Amino acid sequence: MRFGKKLRNSVYPPWEDQYMDYAKLKGMLREDEDDPTWTEDDENKFCDETLNVQLEKVAAFQAETFKALEDRAAKTGEKLRDLAPEDGAKKGDITAGRFKEIEEELDGITNETKELKKYSNINYTGFLKIVKKHDRKRGNHYKIRPMVQLRLSKRAFNSEEGYAPLLNKLSMMYYVVRQQLDEAPEPINSADAQSETQNGERYVAYKFWIHMENLLEVRTFILRRLPVLVYSEQSSKGLDSQGDPTLNSLYFDNPDFALYNQKVERQVDASSIRIRWAGQLKESPELVIEQKIIHQNGSSEERRFPIKEKYIQAFIKGEYKMEKSIQKMERQGQPEAKVAEFKNTVDSLQKFILDNDLQPVLRANYTRTAFQKPQDDKVRMSIDTSLAFIREDAIDANRPCRAPNNWHRLDIDNSAMEYPFSNINQGELSKFPYALLEIKVKEDGIKKHPQWVDDLMSSHLVHKAPRFSKFVHGVATLFEDNVNNLPFWLSEVETDIRKDPQAAFEAEEERKARRAADEQVVGSFLGTSRPSASYKAAVSSPMAKSYMQERMAAEASAGRRSNFTGKSKSQNAATEDNEGETSNRNGGYGTLSSVFPSFSLSRYAQARREKTVQLPPGVLKPTQLIKDSGPLKVEPKVWLANERTYLKWQHICFLLGSFAIVLSNTGSHDSVRLAMGITYLVVSVFAAGWGYYMHRTRREMIVARSGKDFDNLIGPMIVSFALIIALILNFVFKACYPFLFNDEWQGFTDTKIQWREALDRNNSDAPSNSTAESMYEGMRTKLL
């Protein structure tokens, strides 16, 4: 069906005049005329009509209608809140009729919301279709598709997340109303999450895009909490040494792309079929046929069974019904219920393929890294990289991409092609520019996810893609001419999904506050606490703090959480504040704990003594973190403080050096003074060397933006102890010398007395006065 006819058939009568005028834009292109001339004036008129008239009309109407729906939902919520029981007792005038009226109002809002989403989707597809026609017909000099995609990505009607708050609010109110009417309420499903059933277990799945610049940081963030999952079947074949497995998914559809349209339009029980295997097909891997069914409430379930390659073509044609596998299960004595379940799965999948005339149309090739704790599947994560979509259809009989009598492309599998598939025609190949992150959390009655999971999902490192599907995206990019519905996220692929950390944090805080306010209705009826009362927005994003503040806060918080896990949030908050102040008082610079950290019993010291997390094999520590990117900006006081400390050390060096030189010069013939002078000179040289070494070391730490501590007490303690010892020895030698050499000192004293008496008697035998004085001074110098 041509898109013009599709658009006319999709018009919602009350909004008939608000749709884009596709026929007018098509007529302006003069597509059916033979006149090849296309002037600049024609281009300006077409762009003005497309961007300034049609796009503005659609965007304004969508915003106005959505605002009206939000107001209606808010008024309905107020009515429902007025019916809330007081003090655990129901109000006397509450009747089932009033809840029925509210349910009818909710039905009306929900129906119009669905119509608005259809309106947005068909107009969004129309703009992409008309600019593609423009670039194909009149795009020799003017290519406007990238510009239009950018404009569309900034419009509210082109966002899946724009409808999420309203749908969540409606879902909560439905839950309350149906519970009061004694009906079985459906579980409240978030619009940005999807429930899945695998092996009898229910999971909540979240999907995100990761920019390649943030991929390493996301990997290391996950690896600190979850190890890489090793597949046993890979290990048995020796493939684990080759790194992450390369997966292939071969999707089925018919020439009308019925399965694709069902998924895009979110029809009830929309299904998808694929054949999945790991590695190269020539290595005989295990092949699995899977069917994924999405139910009305947003949950999904999977049916699968293994199959050998030689039976796939016969199974698709209906000639083989897995008889050999069934016989093998019966010979092994497996329970009849399991055999019957296998037969039902095989029959239903084969019937689905035959009834819908399905054939392989698309291959998705990607490398997957899975994260999961051994024997613990509460949290499962996977990152898909190097994602490429390849046409695998035989729709065009004249130019088929795949031989009709084969279920897969032989040119790819026989030659063992790998990413980036340079030998494939570029028109048959589409590469996804981002990595895909999928988070699955088991539904075990605990609604709250682990804190680190919430931190990752709300961070700037990931971009939410709640309804993303590899099958839908591959068909939309490679078969755009064959389909008339395109997914919302298609234009976002061409934009930069990186976000400012602070802006992402503020948006997430706003979303949490809005959701907490919406949950008041549910909390009032179920008797739970009001979420908005306990919710408190953070002051600022952790990304806006300095690295040292972030590190200190994280380590202190980790130590406190490990000791107070049993306390309430309010008690924890008060206790943490008190403990933080005590830690700052007791563990500051200059205390015993700062000199000998190993003897400190504070939680901060205990956190610092914890062992460093060892990264798994193959994961390297990043050479540069986000905090270190960008130009270096250091406050002048930091540089001046380092230089001032260096000058202080040089001042000590000059004082000690001057004292050593004076001491050694005054006692050039005295061994004791000379030795003490040399001692002081050695201490002076050490002070000069230590000061220069610390100046260079701290300068390198400042330039590298290191988070290490700048304080170091080794040098000051060495200088202090050396001076104390030198002063003590100097005092000992000076004050205790006469007592250590008593005999020599006594002889000197007797000689001096004798010389004095002889001089007094004018003894001619006594030496002259000058001679006696010189002898006296010589003896005194010798003794001292």
Side-chain angles (χ1 to χ4, degrees):
M1 181 186 300
R2 302 176 68 86
F3 180 77
K5 185 177 180 181
K6 171 71 175 180
L7 178 60
R8 290 192 296 270
N9 295 338
S10 302
V11 169
Y12 183 53
W15 303 339
E16 183 176 1
D17 298 334
Q18 302 300 330
Y19 287 78
M20 66 174 296
D21 196 341
Y22 185 80
K24 180 179 180 181
L25 294 176
K26 187 177 179 180
M28 294 179 67
L29 288 177
R30 302 195 300 271
E31 189 177 19
D32 300 329
E33 298 181 8
D34 296 331
D35 185 8
T37 59
W38 183 258
T39 63
E40 185 175 354
D41 185 58
D42 296 331
E43 180 70 22
N44 293 335
K45 290 181 180 179
F46 178 82
C47 292
D48 181 70
E49 181 67 23
T50 303
L51 299 175
N52 299 330
V53 179
Q54 301 296 332
L55 181 57
E56 292 297 329
K57 179 182 72 172
V58 172
F61 177 78
Q62 190 274 341
E64 179 183 353
T65 307
F66 185 78
K67 182 64 170 58
L69 291 174
E70 283 187 322
D71 293 341
R72 290 174 58 185
K75 293 179 181 178
T76 305
E78 292 295 332
K79 294 180 181 179
L80 192 59
R81 189 176 290 108
D82 292 339
L83 300 179
E86 296 178 352
D87 300 330
K90 292 187 176 181
K91 294 182 179 179
D93 60 345
I94 296 179
T95 61
R98 298 187 64 181
F99 282 106
K100 281 289 186 182
E101 293 176 0
I102 292 178
E103 186 179 21
E104 292 177 359
E105 293 180 11
L106 292 176
D107 290 338
I109 298 173
T110 303
N111 292 334
E112 283 208 17
T113 302
K114 291 180 179 178
E115 293 296 335
L116 184 61
K117 290 185 68 176
K118 293 180 181 178
Y119 169 87
S120 301
N121 184 272
I122 196 66
N123 283 281
Y124 167 74
T125 304
F127 284 113
L128 292 182
K129 289 282 187 179
I130 197 63
V131 296
K132 183 178 181 180
K133 286 181 177 293
H134 168 275
D135 290 354
R136 181 184 301 170
K137 181 71 176 180
R138 307 297 184 185
N140 294 331
H141 303 287
Y142 310 98
K143 299 285 186 181
I144 66 172
R145 183 183 175 94
M147 179 179 61
V148 173
Q149 285 184 326
L150 182 61
R151 292 282 294 271
L152 286 173
S153 64
K154 296 181 179 180
R155 294 294 179 175
F157 77 91
N158 180 45
S159 174
E160 188 72 28
E161 294 184 18
Y163 292 92
L166 178 59
L167 294 177
N168 289 336
K169 190 172 185 178
L170 293 174
S171 177
M172 293 175 187
M173 289 191 286
Y174 266 121
Y175 184 85
V176 173
V177 170
R178 288 170 180 169
Q179 189 184 52
Q180 297 300 317
L181 294 176
D182 296 330
E183 297 179 2
E186 297 180 357
I188 301 177
N189 292 321
S190 176
D192 57 357
Q194 186 174 351
S195 298
E196 294 185 1
T197 302
Q198 295 182 358
N199 300 325
E201 300 286 348
R202 291 182 61 86
Y203 293 87
V204 180
Y206 304 87
K207 296 181 180 180
F208 303 89
W209 295 352
I210 306 175
H211 196 279
M212 301 310 294
E213 291 185 1
N214 298 330
L215 180 58
L216 180 59
E217 188 168 357
V218 174
R219 283 180 183 268
T220 54
F221 182 89
I222 298 174
L223 283 172
R224 293 188 182 100
R225 284 87 180 175
L226 295 179
V228 175
L229 178 64
V230 179
Y231 296 93
S232 59
E233 59 267 26
Q234 292 177 357
S235 301
S236 62
K237 295 183 179 181
L239 297 177
D240 53 335
S241 61
Q242 299 180 6
D244 299 326
T246 299
L247 302 182
N248 292 271
S249 296
L250 190 64
Y251 293 96
F252 286 66
D253 210 334
N254 54 31
D256 296 330
F257 291 95
L259 301 187
Y260 167 85
N261 290 323
Q262 290 177 7
K263 289 184 70 69
V264 173
E265 296 173 1
R266 299 185 192 174
Q267 297 182 8
V268 179
D269 295 336
S271 299
S272 60
I273 299 284
R274 67 177 179 179
I275 301 176
R276 193 163 177 253
W277 70 92
Q280 295 293 338
L281 195 60
K282 66 178 183 179
E283 296 174 353
S284 301
E286 182 184 23
L287 287 87
V288 179
I289 295 183
E290 299 178 344
Q291 180 185 20
K292 187 174 183 179
I293 305 174
I294 300 178
H295 299 297
Q296 184 176 5
N297 59 356
S299 63
S300 65
E301 69 173 300
E302 291 184 357
R303 302 171 183 173
R304 65 180 69 185
F305 63 88
I307 186 174
K308 292 185 179 180
E309 179 184 356
K310 60 183 178 180
Y311 298 133
I312 293 181
Q313 188 65 22
F315 178 81
I316 295 174
K317 293 183 177 180
E319 301 172 355
Y320 178 69
K321 298 182 179 297
M322 304 296 295
E323 294 89 350
K324 293 185 178 180
S325 298
I326 296 173
Q327 293 173 3
K328 182 179 180 180
M329 295 175 66
E330 293 175 347
R331 287 196 306 268
Q332 293 176 348
Q334 297 191 17
E336 295 182 0
K338 188 174 182 180
V339 176
E341 181 182 0
F342 180 82
K343 292 177 62 176
N344 291 335
T345 303
V346 171
D347 293 340
S348 62
L349 282 177
Q350 189 174 61
K351 185 176 185 301
F352 186 81
I353 292 174
L354 296 175
D355 292 346
N356 292 276
D357 189 24
L358 302 181
Q359 61 171 292
V361 296
L362 176 71
R363 177 186 301 213
N365 180 278
Y366 51 94
T367 301
R368 168 161 293 184
T369 306
F371 306 89
Q372 179 184 331
K373 292 181 180 179
Q375 308 300 324
D376 185 2
D377 58 351
K378 293 182 180 179
V379 179
R380 300 162 54 189
M381 295 188 180
S382 64
I383 297 180
D384 297 339
T385 55
S386 302
L387 176 57
F389 301 98
I390 306 172
R391 289 187 58 164
E392 199 100 7
D393 64 289
I395 297 176
D396 189 352
N398 297 326
R399 294 176 15 178
C401 299
R402 165 185 54 83
N405 57 345
N406 287 314
W407 63 274
H408 64 104
R409 289 183 60 161
L410 300 179
D411 59 333
I412 297 178
D413 296 320
N414 290 347
S415 59
M417 289 188 189
E418 295 180 348
Y419 188 88
F421 301 100
S422 55
N423 295 331
I424 295 180
N425 187 348
Q426 295 303 306
E428 302 173 357
L429 176 67
S430 176
K431 299 175 185 177
F432 193 70
Y434 306 124
L436 300 179
L437 169 65
E438 185 171 8
I439 302 175
K440 293 184 179 180
V441 183
K442 181 183 289 187
E443 291 184 349
D444 54 357
I446 302 177
K447 295 183 179 179
K448 188 175 181 180
H449 303 153
Q451 183 61 40
W452 68 272
V453 176
D454 289 337
D455 292 342
L456 176 60
M457 293 193 300
S458 60
S459 69
H460 69 284
L461 300 174
V462 296
H463 177 77
K464 292 182 180 179
R467 300 292 178 178
F468 182 80
S469 167
K470 295 186 183 72
F471 169 59
V472 171
H473 185 82
V475 172
T477 53
L478 294 176
F479 300 91
E480 187 174 351
D481 293 336
N482 300 75
V483 296
N484 291 324
N485 283 331
L486 299 177
F488 278 127
W489 65 76
L490 199 59
S491 61
E492 296 181 4
V493 178
E494 304 296 333
T495 61
D496 190 353
I497 63 173
R498 290 173 293 184
K499 295 176 285 188
D500 177 70
Q502 184 65 26
F505 168 79
E506 293 174 355
E508 183 65 19
E509 287 298 311
E510 181 181 357
R511 186 190 68 82
K512 289 180 180 178
R514 184 171 57 246
R515 183 173 180 83
D518 294 340
E519 289 178 351
Q520 291 181 5
V521 179
V522 180
S524 61
F525 273 92
L526 300 183
T528 58
S529 60
R530 297 166 66 93
S532 60
S534 61
Y535 173 76
K536 183 179 179 181
V539 177
S540 63
S541 171
M543 297 296 180
K545 299 179 180 179
S546 68
Y547 176 69
M548 282 299 296
Q549 290 176 339
E550 180 182 5
R551 183 170 69 92
M552 296 280 287
E555 291 176 348
S557 177
R560 288 192 291 267
R561 283 200 300 269
S562 63
N563 291 275
F564 295 92
T565 54
K567 293 187 177 182
S568 63
K569 292 183 178 180
S570 60
Q571 292 174 337
N572 274 335
T575 305
E576 288 172 4
D577 291 340
N578 295 333
E579 289 175 357
E581 295 174 0
T582 304
S583 176
N584 291 334
R585 291 193 301 266
N586 298 338
Y589 182 85
T591 61
L592 182 63
S593 60
S594 66
V595 180
F596 303 105
S598 60
F599 292 98
S600 176
L601 299 179
S602 66
R603 293 186 179 87
Y604 172 68
Q606 293 175 2
R608 293 187 64 183
R609 289 198 295 268
E610 292 179 358
K611 294 183 179 180
T612 306
V613 177
Q614 297 294 332
L615 296 178
V619 178
L620 300 177
K621 184 178 180 180
T623 57
Q624 186 180 32
L625 302 178
I626 291 180
K627 72 177 184 64
D628 297 334
S629 60
L632 178 64
K633 296 180 180 179
V634 181
E635 297 183 6
K637 64 181 182 181
V638 177
W639 294 109
L640 296 177
N642 190 29
E643 294 177 2
R644 185 164 57 250
T645 306
Y646 172 73
L647 293 177
K648 288 290 184 181
W649 277 102
Q650 300 307 310
H651 181 67
I652 295 174
C653 169
F654 294 144
L655 287 179
L656 293 177
S658 301
F659 181 71
I661 292 173
V662 171
L663 187 62
S664 60
N665 288 340
T666 56
S668 58
H669 301 290
D670 189 345
S671 59
V672 176
R673 291 186 180 182
L674 184 61
M676 295 307 301
I678 294 174
T679 301
Y680 287 116
L681 185 62
V682 170
V683 178
S684 173
V685 172
F686 174 82
W690 180 263
Y692 177 78
Y693 168 76
M694 291 306 301
H695 177 265
R696 295 294 303 176
T697 301
R698 288 168 178 159
R699 182 184 183 281
E700 293 174 359
M701 293 170 63
I702 294 173
V703 172
R705 290 182 274 207
S706 173
K708 299 179 181 179
D709 296 329
F710 283 82
D711 57 313
N712 195 316
L713 301 182
I714 297 177
M717 292 177 67
I718 292 177
V719 173
S720 299
F721 283 119
L723 288 177
I724 291 173
I725 294 173
L727 291 173
I728 292 174
L729 293 176
N730 196 0
F731 175 81
V732 170
F733 290 142
K734 181 65 177 178
C736 300
Y737 193 93
F739 302 98
L740 296 175
F741 304 94
N742 185 48
D743 295 335
E744 290 82 357
W745 185 263
Q746 186 63 36
F748 169 76
T749 305
D750 294 340
T751 303
K752 179 180 178 182
I753 294 173
Q754 294 175 5
W755 287 341
R756 289 296 182 185
E757 291 176 352
L759 289 174
D760 294 339
R761 293 192 301 268
N762 295 322
N763 189 350
S764 59
D765 296 333
S768 62
N769 188 28
S770 60
T771 305
E773 289 295 334
S774 62
M775 294 174 63
Y776 168 78
E777 290 297 333
M779 181 64 72
R780 180 175 177 274
T781 303
K782 181 179 179 181
L783 290 174
L784 295 177

